[in-house]
Amino acid sequence: MIFWTTVLTFLIGLMTAMLFPRSDRINVEEVPISESYVASFVAQHQFARDYADQISFTLPYINPSVGKDKPSGKAQYIHIFKDEFDDINIGYMPEIMPDDVSRNTFPTDGSYTSAIVCMDGLDKKVSTGASETYVYGDVVSCQTQAQTFKYVLTYGALFPRIGIQHNLFKSRIDTSESSDTYRNHILWEKALAKRTKGDPDCGFVGIEENLPYIFSANGKKRKIPYNLYKVFEDNNYFPGENTYDYQPIFCITPVNSPYVTDGLIYHFDATMNAQAENGAPLHKETKTEWLNIISQQPTTIFGGIGNAKWNPNNEMPLAMMKDVSLQIPIEGSTKITNEFTLSFVAQFDVYESIIDTQSPLFSTNNGSFPYIIAKYKSGDLTITIYKEGNIELSELKATIPHSITAISYVLGPKFHHLFINGNLAATKTFPGNEFLPPLNATTLMISESPRDMGGNKINADMYNIKIYNRVLNQDEIRHNLKTEKKRYKF
């Protein structure tokens, strides 16, 4: 009797469950299934954000990359991450866009695209008397100017109506809470919000009080640039209120400027060392020149035949070894005087740190004073300023780690500082009323000095060199350091 009572109870419970599904089915079954559909979308946007932060400083100097549908008008300024970007040898970035179908500027087939868009300004509310109006920034080519507001986008019509499963489709036809379309609409939005941990950058695009926003399931919203929205609207990418052929979802995130650019006159980078071809920054494993990203002009690598090349054992840095050096002009529009900042990301050879020789990291020279030289010996970096008559004015000294290190030397008329990995390692104010006059040097030499060095060159891998014609403060140096740590993993 007990057995049959148990069987009957089980059958009744099973039939009841079939007629009345458990109340948490959406959260324990349907939302996780929906998450699997948005997981790759969210992962791609995260990759795109990291990638955009790294390459955005090259955008003013490379050709735009448009989708294979090659749109016209402002849509041509949507800078698509194309195959050429995947091929850049960054070493630790996965392929962002592995499939050809996702190269469309306006995908509607279930694929998605990542891109950068540049704006010439931010949307602003302007008061005119008793009324308020908006002034909108415009979508521009990323080549037009270095100082633009940048956004990285990932978007796509991931849920076309044909063949849709698991209630992912978002319909605008019936949004009453009792309708299936409302429930279906909430499902994928909940999945997206859960997968992004409530990030307001991701959701669906809509209009509220005539302004475009990203809306998410948790009620958060983030305003997006009006003219950016118009580019997509003018290309009929947003379905109308009575259309449900597809519903695009978006992630839109501001791109952080990876480096301080105010006053930057030279920027040499190991991963992007050659002039762009086909809209992509280039890394060349063997080079006798190093590209200044700012001017897009190469600087010759001086040295013996066969030695001026990128380190074959590490495809990232330039190996400054044997008789290899750079001679950088610092006159005219690139002039540095008695206020400048030199920044290096480098790794010094361990063997050279234990031998009793010295080599130059950098020096100024044209046969006159004041004269500055940075010498490396036995793990220590010493920077000395000499005034007229070869008399020492001031000296800084700090120990350099054997690992990849960010070094910044800052010179002002009354002081100089040395920062190691963002920390102030040494500083001096010039004695008495000493005031450093403007430098007369026409050349800044990296890994070279004709004075008292016996012709030695430094043995180090150089990942990045930046030269500013002004004094950077510690916050700016640490801003650059944050980028360097992310790019070079130290």
Side-chain angles (χ1 to χ4, degrees):
M1 183 66 180
I2 294 175
F3 172 76
W4 290 111
T5 301
T6 303
V7 172
L8 183 60
T9 302
F10 172 75
L11 292 174
I12 292 173
L14 184 61
M15 293 177 65
T16 301
M18 293 174 64
L19 292 172
F20 304 100
R22 53 188 292 178
S23 59
D24 61 352
R25 178 180 175 183
I26 288 179
N27 289 329
V28 301
E29 179 181 341
E30 294 184 348
V31 169
I33 291 174
S34 300
E35 277 191 72
S36 67
Y37 280 80
V38 300
S40 60
F41 175 83
V42 173
Q44 173 162 317
H45 186 64
Q46 183 59 56
F47 292 151
R49 287 173 59 178
D50 293 343
Y51 187 67
D53 284 347
Q54 294 179 45
I55 65 104
S56 65
F57 68 95
T58 68
L59 286 174
Y61 318 108
I62 62 178
N63 295 325
S65 295
V66 299
K68 61 183 182 182
D69 44 354
K70 296 182 180 178
S72 59
K74 295 297 176 65
Q76 67 183 302
Y77 298 147
I78 300 176
H79 199 111
I80 304 295
F81 292 165
K82 293 175 69 68
D83 291 324
E84 304 94 87
F85 289 94
D86 294 338
D87 293 337
I88 297 174
N89 190 349
I90 294 183
Y92 54 86
M93 286 295 294
E95 282 194 356
I96 294 177
M97 308 282 285
D99 57 326
D100 289 334
V101 72
S102 56
R103 307 296 176 177
N104 287 313
T105 307
F106 301 107
T108 60
D109 57 359
S111 64
Y112 39 93
T113 287
S114 288
I116 285 181
V117 171
C118 294
M119 310 290 297
D120 64 2
L122 300 177
D123 294 354
K124 297 179 181 179
K125 186 181 291 186
V126 178
S127 298
T128 54
S131 62
E132 291 183 334
T133 59
Y134 270 92
V135 175
Y136 303 118
D138 205 2
V139 177
V140 296
S141 166
C142 293
Q143 287 187 306
T144 57
Q145 50 187 332
Q147 301 297 330
T148 55
F149 298 92
K150 304 177 181 70
Y151 295 86
V152 58
L153 318 177
T154 302
Y155 57 93
L158 302 193
F159 314 123
R161 183 169 177 77
I162 299 175
I164 196 64
Q165 300 176 17
H166 301 303
N167 296 322
L168 279 172
F169 178 69
K170 179 197 180 305
S171 172
R172 294 185 178 184
I173 302 302
D174 186 352
T175 56
S176 61
E177 294 193 24
S178 61
S179 72
D180 286 339
T181 52
Y182 178 83
R183 177 170 171 272
N184 298 348
H185 148 207
I186 289 298
L187 269 177
W188 75 260
E189 289 178 18
K190 279 188 174 181
L192 184 63
K194 184 178 178 182
R195 196 73 185 184
T196 61
K197 303 186 186 308
D199 189 345
D201 289 355
C202 298
F204 68 94
V205 177
I207 295 291
E208 185 176 286
E209 296 181 352
N210 297 320
L211 294 175
Y213 292 89
I214 293 283
F215 293 93
S216 59
N218 56 15
K220 291 183 179 180
K221 62 181 181 181
R222 174 164 292 178
K223 187 182 178 302
I224 61 175
Y226 179 79
N227 280 327
L228 174 57
Y229 169 83
K230 286 293 293 179
V231 169
F232 286 91
E233 183 187 52
D234 292 346
N235 284 273
N236 302 312
Y237 198 59
F238 299 121
E241 293 298 325
N242 297 315
T243 302
Y244 49 83
D245 291 335
Y246 62 88
Q247 172 60 48
I249 62 174
F250 273 70
C251 287
I252 301 178
T253 305
V255 175
N256 297 317
S257 178
Y259 295 110
V260 175
T261 56
D262 183 19
L264 184 60
I265 55 176
Y266 281 99
H267 190 174
F268 301 101
D269 186 81
T271 58
M272 301 169 190
N273 63 25
Q275 287 177 304
E277 295 175 6
N278 301 319
L282 296 179
H283 173 86
K284 295 291 188 182
E285 294 181 12
T286 302
K287 287 286 292 179
T288 56
E289 297 174 328
W290 202 352
L291 183 73
N292 176 20
I293 294 172
I294 302 303
S295 67
Q296 287 289 282
Q297 297 299 314
T299 296
T300 299
I301 301 170
F302 287 91
I305 301 299
N307 292 325
K309 63 177 60 177
W310 300 90
N311 189 341
N313 299 317
N314 183 340
E315 295 176 345
M316 294 282 288
L318 171 70
M320 303 291 283
M321 55 182 58
K322 298 182 180 178
D323 55 351
V324 179
S325 62
L326 295 176
Q327 296 181 12
I328 303 171
I330 49 170
E331 55 186 342
S333 61
T334 58
K335 187 173 182 59
I336 59 175
T337 58
N338 55 359
E339 295 186 50
F340 62 84
T341 302
L342 307 181
S343 292
F344 303 86
V345 178
Q347 182 169 10
F348 295 93
D349 186 86
V350 175
Y351 175 73
E352 185 161 302
S353 298
I354 61 175
I355 60 177
D356 191 27
T357 60
Q358 61 180 4
S359 55
L361 175 58
F362 69 85
S363 68
T364 60
N365 177 66
N366 73 342
S368 61
F369 294 91
Y371 168 67
I372 304 173
I373 183 169
K375 302 176 183 179
Y376 180 82
K377 179 180 179 180
S378 302
D380 290 331
L381 180 64
T382 304
I383 303 177
T384 309
I385 302 176
Y386 294 95
K387 59 183 181 179
E388 201 67 45
N390 211 26
I391 298 172
E392 181 181 313
L393 173 63
S394 184
E395 182 177 278
L396 299 178
K397 186 174 183 178
T399 299
I400 305 298
H402 297 324
S403 56
I404 299 174
T405 305
I407 302 166
S408 291
Y409 174 68
V410 180
L411 176 70
K414 289 287 295 177
F415 63 85
H416 57 160
H417 309 313
L418 181 60
F419 292 88
I420 306 298
N421 289 334
N423 298 315
L424 184 61
T427 181
K428 290 269 184 79
T429 300
F430 302 148
N433 295 319
E434 292 278 8
F435 186 93
L436 186 69
L439 302 176
N440 291 321
T442 60
T443 305
L444 175 70
M445 292 177 288
I446 309 297
S447 183
E448 183 176 356
S449 173
R451 297 172 182 254
D452 306 322
M453 301 298 293
N456 291 333
K457 303 289 191 295
I458 202 161
N459 195 349
D461 289 339
M462 293 289 182
Y463 291 78
N464 193 285
I465 303 173
K466 292 178 292 297
I467 304 173
Y468 294 84
N469 60 9
R470 68 177 185 88
V471 169
L472 266 61
N473 59 43
Q474 188 168 26
D475 287 343
E476 292 174 313
I477 289 170
R478 287 180 171 173
H479 176 86
N480 286 348
L481 176 67
K482 184 178 179 181
T483 297
E484 309 292 18
K485 283 187 172 182
K486 191 172 185 179
R487 296 186 67 207
Y488 303 121
K489 302 299 182 183
F490 68 98

